[in-house]
Amino acid sequence: GTPAVLAVNAEYGERLEIGSRWYHAHGVTPPCCCGHGLSYTTFAYSGLRVAKTADLDNPVSVSFTVTNNGTVAGSEVAQVYLTYPDAAGEPPSQLRGFEKLAVAAGAAVPVTIAVPVRGVS
């Protein structure tokens, strides 16, 4: 025979607030740190600089320094997020660039991440 077809209308009221975006949008601490690896060291970020661009063909340059404050070498994924105004109706912050770093104990590494202008407008 012919299988029955069931028409279902599903409404997703959370829109873009799915997973970690929901926790961040509502100021709720997630029950676990999903996506974060364990490390035997700690890192500090400093010297944030953003170089503007005059046109849509060149990326915005985001530069900063990542310092390994620990006594052992470690890896860190440096990330750049963009935050929109509430009126934009976008998630509170969106990942726009990242770079994985291997940092020796006590060392400081300069990082520059290019963010396409179309990704910030």
Side-chain angles (χ1 to χ4, degrees), residues 53-60 114-118:
T53 185
D55 60 70
L56 295 176
D57 296 325
N58 293 309
V60 173
V115 178
V117 172
R118 294 182 196 282

Side-chain angles (χ1 to χ4, degrees), residues 29-102:
T29 301
C32 65
C33 295
C34 300
H36 295 275
L38 298 176
S39 181
Y40 294 100
T41 191
T42 58
F43 297 93
Y45 287 70
S46 62
L48 177 64
R49 294 178 310 283
V50 178
K52 297 181 203 175
T53 185
D55 60 70
L56 295 176
D57 296 325
N58 293 309
V60 173
S61 180
V62 180
S63 301
F64 49 91
T65 300
V66 176
T67 303
N68 180 343
N69 291 330
T71 58
V72 297
S75 294
E76 175 75 337
V77 178
Q79 302 174 6
V80 174
Y81 285 85
L82 178 66
T83 300
Y84 289 93
D86 290 339
E90 294 289 331
S93 63
Q94 294 182 18
L95 180 64
R96 289 294 181 231
F98 63 92
E99 184 176 335
K100 185 167 185 179
L101 311 166

Side-chain angles (χ1 to χ4, degrees), residues 20-35:
S20 62
R21 288 180 175 173
W22 184 91
Y23 289 108
H24 188 253
H26 297 276
V28 176
T29 301
C32 65
C33 295
C34 300

